[in-house]
Amino acid sequence: MEDFKFIKIASLRKGDKVEVIHNPTSYPLIGRGNQGAVFKISSDQCVKIFPKPMHAQRESEALKAAQGSPIVAKLYEVGENYIIMEYIEGPSLQEYLRSKGNIKEDITKKILFLIEEMKRIKFTRLDSRLKEIIVTKQGELKMVDLVNHFTKKYEIPQLLLADLKKLGLLSSFLEQVKKIDPQSYLEWKDFLC
């Protein structure tokens, strides 16, 4: 088995996605963001490598706190600057909704469940971007990129609402929330006016 530890990642400029500086392995890059890059290392596992060990620690703490919850990947191993976790196959919720052109009530219910689970786990960031939520083959929603879920505080899912607005789906989402969860509707209805 090739050693992913030889892969080198760097943050070149604050606010930009990390760059893969050196990858001597055949592991494909499947995603990268501001804190780390993800490589598929087997059919059911991936590794996220971080240039800053602090980010590996933060994400591993969030994943550990959420283990057993259906909204996150299984955690297998944590190193100084990496995390090995379950590989979740599927489109992002952003891609999924864009391809459908609408938001059905079952997806709204699953988003509300996601937010309730974040509260139960005691995440302080009760939010996630649509591109950070994967729609599995079974139609479930799983969150990826949990680096800031204990360090930032968002009591309203403002990033999620903003993403839905960009897709033109916010009003239909809020109409469904009004029926399913009137309290959340009251908290969110004026957020992006």
Side-chain angles (χ1 to χ4, degrees):
M1 186 161 148
E2 296 175 277
D3 196 347
F4 63 83
K5 293 176 186 170
F6 291 117
I7 299 172
K8 301 291 179 221
I9 308 295
S11 288
L12 302 178
R13 286 189 301 265
K14 187 175 172 108
D16 285 350
K17 289 183 178 184
V18 298
E19 292 290 331
V20 179
I21 303 301
H22 181 64
N23 182 2
T25 73
S26 61
Y27 299 136
L29 174 70
I30 56 173
R32 63 187 177 98
N34 295 342
Q35 288 92 17
V38 182
F39 299 84
K40 186 174 179 182
I41 58 173
S42 73
S43 63
D44 63 346
Q45 291 185 359
C46 60
V47 63
K48 186 169 185 179
I49 302 173
F50 304 83
K52 297 179 182 176
M54 163 188 70
H55 290 140
Q57 179 186 355
R58 284 183 187 171
E59 185 142 359
S60 69
E61 286 171 5
L63 279 168
K64 285 175 187 173
Q67 286 304 285
S69 172
I71 67 167
V72 300
K74 289 180 195 137
L75 178 65
Y76 295 110
E77 183 181 326
V78 177
E80 182 183 353
N81 72 328
Y82 70 89
I83 297 170
I84 298 177
M85 62 190 133
E86 173 187 17
Y87 170 66
I88 302 167
E89 190 172 349
S92 71
L93 185 53
Q94 180 174 301
E95 295 165 335
Y96 178 86
L97 292 173
R98 188 176 285 135
S99 74
K100 299 289 182 196
N102 62 38
I103 185 164
K104 299 214 180 216
E105 192 172 297
D106 69 312
I107 292 294
T108 296
K109 287 178 180 176
K110 289 174 184 180
I111 290 171
L112 291 170
F113 174 75
L114 206 72
I115 293 166
E116 284 305 310
E117 269 296 281
M118 286 190 261
K119 288 178 187 175
R120 186 188 68 75
I121 295 163
K122 299 196 180 353
F123 285 163
T124 56
R125 178 183 169 192
L126 302 177
D127 198 4
S128 207
R129 292 196 170 281
L130 293 180
K131 68 181 183 179
E132 297 168 346
I133 301 169
I134 304 296
V135 182
T136 69
K137 289 179 182 177
Q138 296 77 28
E140 299 306 314
L141 302 183
K142 292 210 181 226
M143 297 171 48
V144 296
D145 196 4
L146 303 173
V147 170
N148 293 312
H149 279 73
F150 279 134
T151 58
K152 291 187 176 178
K153 187 169 184 171
Y154 291 63
E155 294 178 2
I156 293 174
Q158 54 190 340
L159 300 171
L160 187 139
L161 295 173
D163 286 349
L164 287 169
K165 185 175 185 176
K166 286 178 192 167
L167 291 175
L169 301 174
L170 182 59
S171 59
S172 55
F173 172 75
L174 288 175
E175 282 303 311
Q176 293 171 22
V177 171
K178 186 177 186 178
K179 250 184 3 185
I180 302 163
D181 183 354
Q183 182 60 43
S184 291
Y185 172 77
L186 291 173
E187 293 171 19
W188 303 344
K189 70 181 176 73
D190 297 326
F191 182 72
L192 293 173
C193 291

